[in-house]
Amino acid sequence: MNALAKSLLVFVTAFTAACTPAGEIEDLPYVWDLPPGVEPPAVPEDNALTMKRIALGRRLFYDDDLSLDSSINCGTCHQPQRGFSNPRPVMFGIENRLGFRNTPTLTQVAYSPYFFAEGGSPTLEMQVLGPIENHDEFGFNAAELYERIRQNDEYQALAREAYGRPMDLFVLTRAIASFERTLVSSHSPFDNFYYRGDSDAMSPAARRGWELFISDRTQCRSCHDGFAFSTYEFANVGLADYQDEGLTRRTMEAGDVGKFKVPTLRNVALTAPYFHDGSVRSLREVVEHFNRGGEGHPNQDPRVKPLGLNEQEVKDLVEFLRSLTDTTLLNNPNVQPIQ
């Protein structure tokens, strides 16, 4: 199948799924829409991607009934127009309870080898229950949620169609994970320039920023590499203070204080504020932080050091980061809340 035919198939499949009631969607395998040469993410054998599973996951993702008081849903924090993140410095939940960590983007989450900022969940399916059972987010517990969703006749019918079993937590976690795996950015200006060979897709400033990004001088690519723009290692980027100790919460090692999973840079221009605590307001401030070499935390990664970028180079690097915005994904009707 050539690239044009594949793109048409992906568009028709997504548009049809977005406009068709979940119970009427044909149960076809999902077709990845990826640039030439890019491998699809790994998918668990017990949760193969099908259109019915994705459609069910989308309904659950945007369902307020997954929270204790039916006031918020996954999309409340992970907003499509914000690159599946949130403009608040830290996440929030029912009764406007505040968490302690910035909401991460879900873009390219399918490529992550583990989940949460300290890597505490090994699978996307297991991650789903984290926000649900967190007191400061959904404030629920799995047993009570099970009682609620099993009484939903529509979900019971859709679960049997998608998974061949009644609606339960197995179905809920796998369906939501299936939907989240489809949130893959592949049509940003950078993608069209780098993978598809469109020399006009990026501005001259963004192309200069890309050259800086991959240079030995900045070493940005040593952490933000590959199609997902992340190596998924844990790093301390040199903030002044870490009330949230990051990886140490899992390892109990003092040397891991301030280390967090390297985030993807996909749609990064839309996901402000930045860093684990939402303490940095703009992309320019992020670049300036690295340009001055961080704040000198004892566990600061040795790659965070003064870069000596001039004003034009700072602007060029910011323009490159803006070129990672994928409006095709964000405007796709198949990832929006169901009206």
Side-chain angles (χ1 to χ4, degrees), residues 82-83 85 105 107 224 263-274 282-283 286 317-318 320-326:
R82 300 290 303 195
S85 70
T105 178
T107 307
H224 297 285
T264 178
L265 296 180
R266 293 281 180 169
N267 291 313
V268 69
L270 303 176
T271 63
Y274 301 102
S282 70
L283 274 182
V286 171
L317 202 48
V318 170
F320 162 67
L321 294 172
R322 294 187 185 281
S323 79
L324 299 177
T325 302
D326 182 1

Side-chain angles (χ1 to χ4, degrees), residues 119-151:
S121 179
T123 71
L124 192 52
E125 284 77 6
M126 291 177 65
Q127 179 276 333
V128 169
L129 289 178
I132 291 172
E133 295 193 309
N134 188 311
H135 174 268
D136 295 325
E137 295 184 63
F138 285 27
F140 224 162
N141 68 61
E144 292 175 323
L145 176 59
Y146 169 70
E147 289 300 318
R148 180 180 290 180
I149 60 174
R150 77 181 184 88
Q151 296 176 38

Side-chain angles (χ1 to χ4, degrees), residues 166-189:
M167 185 67 199
D168 57 14
L169 295 178
F170 177 96
V171 172
L172 179 140
T173 56
R174 280 153 182 78
I176 292 178
S178 292
F179 170 70
E180 291 177 342
R181 285 194 174 95
T182 68
L183 305 179
V184 172
S185 172
S186 62
H187 287 280
S188 68

Side-chain angles (χ1 to χ4, degrees), residues 216-288:
D216 291 338
R217 180 180 171 195
T218 67
Q219 297 188 65
C220 300
R221 207 175 186 180
S222 67
C223 286
H224 297 285
D225 197 17
F227 181 59
F229 280 92
S230 176
T231 60
Y232 298 110
E233 63 185 288
F234 297 95
N236 179 314
V237 298
L239 297 182
D241 179 57
Y242 288 94
Q243 295 184 28
D244 177 356
E245 294 186 332
L247 185 60
T248 294
R249 290 164 57 88
R250 183 163 63 85
T251 67
M252 305 303 293
E253 296 290 337
D256 289 335
V257 169
K259 291 183 179 180
F260 294 86
K261 183 176 70 172
V262 173
T264 178
L265 296 180
R266 293 281 180 169
N267 291 313
V268 69
L270 303 176
T271 63
Y274 301 102
F275 296 139
H276 72 281
D277 56 357
S279 60
V280 177
R281 297 171 296 176
S282 70
L283 274 182
R284 182 183 175 94
E285 290 177 76
V286 171
V287 173
E288 289 173 341

